[in-house]
Amino acid sequence: MPYRLNLRPTTRSARTPGRRAGLCATLLTGSVATLLAVGPVGPAAAAVTGTSDPSVSGTARATVPSEARVTSAVLDLDYPGGQPLVHGKNLPYDTASIIKVDILATLLLQAQDAGRGLTQQERTRTEAMIERSDNDAATALWREIGQAPGLEAANKRLGLSSTVGGDGGLWGLTRTTATDQIRLLRAVFADGGTSSALTTASRTYIRTLMTRIATDQSWGVSAASDSGWALKNGWLQRSTTGLWDINSVGEVTSGTHHYLVAVLSDGNASMTGGIAAVERAARAAVASVRVVG
């Protein structure tokens, strides 16, 4: 049986439309709203925030229609030999902040290779990066792991095959697929017959942080859980179109089973709409596996 943490319980209030609207308003008044208010955003700003397309200003945002697409992948952890069930086209998407789980896994793998634990500064940064999705902490750790080359070297050992790191400091523009995210989650959450380059201590550390996500960010794949979850979300508004990338990855408990779920989306007209689409896809993905099983 897979190792189980005391996963964070899902509360009814976290799923209500009023709460979702409130959390979106909170997020939009933060770094994204600030960036849009000041006009064109250059590569340096995008590297720090991870919330804006670094190419051009947002002058054309109002004229671009929504062309949303969603891909989900799900794996039942209680059937270790199973393969992910994919809904939608398994094509690359920008990661936005879900890459922070991969950054942490890479940091831990590099620390293991050096025969050391994380420093206090690294722990402070990793906790901020995962629990509060702090972008400054992610940028510092991205540099520490060697940016894209460091990430991709670690990913080969973790079993990922379709994830390409963002250029320079643009960690949020890393490209990945839903099935590659399941491979990463499997390296973190699966035990027993599934080998992982990460030690038990490293896996436990990642899992623990993913159960401590800030309340206003506890949406996404958690919608498919009826008792507990561990997750990381990502959201990014593209300055060229004004459309949103909304992603969510993690482990959920539903009934007596534990599932790894990755939902990637782009082209959403709003953050609220993107979150709703991701949550529908997560629920449908888990339900489809329960039917097949």
Side-chain angles (χ1 to χ4, degrees):
M1 289 290 291
Y3 170 84
R4 294 271 65 78
L5 290 172
N6 181 17
L7 295 179
R8 186 170 179 171
T10 302
T11 60
R12 183 174 301 275
S13 62
R15 302 272 66 84
T16 60
R19 183 189 178 282
R20 183 180 297 123
L23 79 89
C24 289
T26 299
L27 293 169
L28 283 170
T29 57
S31 59
V32 175
T34 300
L35 286 170
L36 296 180
V38 299
V41 177
V48 173
T49 65
T51 55
S52 179
D53 185 332
S55 54
V56 297
S57 68
T59 55
R61 286 197 302 269
T63 64
V64 179
S66 172
E67 296 180 358
R69 60 172 184 161
V70 180
T71 300
S72 66
V74 59
L75 177 70
D76 188 339
L77 270 182
D78 294 296
Y79 292 98
Q83 296 299 315
L85 182 61
V86 179
H87 299 271
K89 295 182 178 180
N90 192 36
L91 300 173
Y93 290 78
D94 292 323
T95 58
S97 284
I98 62 169
I99 191 59
K100 293 170 181 174
V101 176
D102 206 355
I103 292 173
L104 176 54
T106 299
L107 177 68
L108 289 167
L109 194 55
Q110 292 177 350
Q112 289 175 200
D113 292 344
R116 67 174 182 86
L118 298 186
T119 66
Q120 184 55 55
Q121 183 182 61
E122 287 170 336
R123 286 186 175 274
T124 298
R125 285 172 170 167
T126 57
E127 291 167 10
M129 177 178 71
I130 300 298
E131 295 176 16
R132 303 192 303 277
S133 204
D134 185 273
N135 292 324
D136 290 340
T139 297
L141 293 172
W142 176 251
R143 291 170 180 158
E144 182 175 342
I145 66 170
Q147 299 186 346
L151 183 88
E152 292 168 10
N155 281 346
K156 288 181 181 179
R157 298 167 62 186
L158 295 170
L160 282 68
S161 59
S162 303
T163 299
V164 179
D167 292 336
L170 303 181
W171 46 262
L173 298 186
T174 296
R175 301 280 283 173
T176 194
T177 62
T179 51
D180 243 21
Q181 288 303 297
I182 293 294
R183 293 183 184 105
L184 176 60
L185 292 170
R186 198 168 192 172
V188 173
F189 288 95
D191 291 319
T194 300
S195 61
S196 173
L198 294 166
T199 65
T200 298
S202 292
R203 296 198 307 271
T204 299
Y205 183 62
I206 300 173
R207 297 169 180 177
T208 300
L209 296 188
M210 291 176 70
T211 66
R212 297 177 179 172
I213 300 302
T215 302
D216 63 353
Q217 297 176 25
S218 61
W219 43 266
V221 297
S222 55
S225 172
D226 56 24
S227 58
W229 51 263
L231 63 75
K232 182 69 190 80
N233 296 322
W235 58 98
L236 182 157
Q237 186 177 31
R238 309 313 296 260
S239 63
T240 51
T241 64
L243 303 180
W244 288 84
D245 299 343
I246 304 291
N247 304 320
S248 185
V249 298
E251 186 200 39
V252 302
T253 303
S254 181
T256 61
H257 285 239
H258 309 92
Y259 303 90
L260 302 180
V261 187
V263 185
L264 308 180
S265 76
D266 61 19
N268 297 286
S270 67
M271 184 173 180
T272 304
I275 289 174
V278 164
E279 292 187 340
R280 284 195 301 270
R283 287 190 292 265
V286 169
S288 70
V289 176
R290 296 182 72 173
V291 169
V292 171

